[in-house]
C-alpha cells in the first residue's frame, strides 16, 4: 500500500524554488559550481548529518519528509541522477529560505 499523505506540522507543499532557478540565489549556485563537495557538507551540517551525506539523494528525501514537500524517493533519485548540481542547489536554497522564515 502506497503512502499518499505525509503527516506532520507542515501542510503539503513544493520546494520554494524550482529545480533550475539558479538566479534566485546566485551565491549558492556559484558556491556549488566551484566547490560542490563543500556545498554538500554545508547541507549535511544544516541537517545535522555527517558531511558525507550532503550529496546523497537520500538527504533530499529526509528533508522532503520533514517539511512535507511533495515528491517521492524515486523522483529524488531521478532528479539527482539527471542533474545532481541542480538538486543540491535547490535543496540548499530551500534550507536558506526556511531559515529566513524561521521555520527550519
Amino acid at each position: 500500500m502506497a503512502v499518499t499523505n505525509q503527516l506532520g506540522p507542515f501542510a503539503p507543499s513544493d520546494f520554494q524554488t524550482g529545480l533550475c532557478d539558479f538566479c534566485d540565489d546566485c551565491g549558492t549556485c556559484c558556491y556549488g559550481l566551484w566547490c560542490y563537495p563543500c556545498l554538500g557538507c554545508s547541507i549535511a551540517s544544516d541537517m545535522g548529518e555527517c558531511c558525507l551525506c550532503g550529496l546523497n539523494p537520500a538527504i533530499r528525501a529526509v528533508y522532503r519528509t520533514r517539511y512535507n514537500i511533495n515528491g517521492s524517493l524515486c523522483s529524488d533519485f531521478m532528479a539527482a541522477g539527471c542533474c545532481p548540481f541542480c538538486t543540491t542547489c535547490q535543496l540548499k536554497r530551500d534550507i536558506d529560505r526556511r531559515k529566513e522564515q524561521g521555520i527550519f
Side-chain angles (χ1 to χ4, degrees), residues 9-103:
F10 298 98
S13 65
D14 292 319
F15 280 96
Q16 296 182 35
T17 62
L19 195 58
C20 297
D21 289 345
F22 304 115
C23 295
D24 280 2
D25 186 355
C26 292
T28 295
C29 290
C30 288
Y31 181 38
L33 181 64
W34 285 302
C35 193
Y36 183 65
C38 297
L39 181 60
C41 285
S42 178
I43 290 170
S45 176
D46 289 339
M47 298 284 293
E49 297 290 337
C50 167
C51 189
L52 299 174
C53 297
L55 297 176
N56 188 327
I59 199 147
R60 182 179 171 90
V62 169
Y63 183 81
R64 271 190 324 88
T65 302
R66 184 178 295 169
Y67 292 102
N68 205 10
I69 297 172
N70 298 322
S72 67
L73 186 58
C74 182
S75 67
D76 293 335
F77 276 92
M78 292 298 291
C82 292
C83 188
F85 174 77
C86 298
T87 58
T88 304
C89 288
Q90 180 189 36
L91 180 56
K92 181 61 176 162
R93 285 192 307 268
D94 204 82
I95 289 171
D96 291 344
R97 288 203 176 176
R98 288 184 190 275
K99 283 181 178 178
E100 290 171 2
Q101 296 165 353
I103 58 173

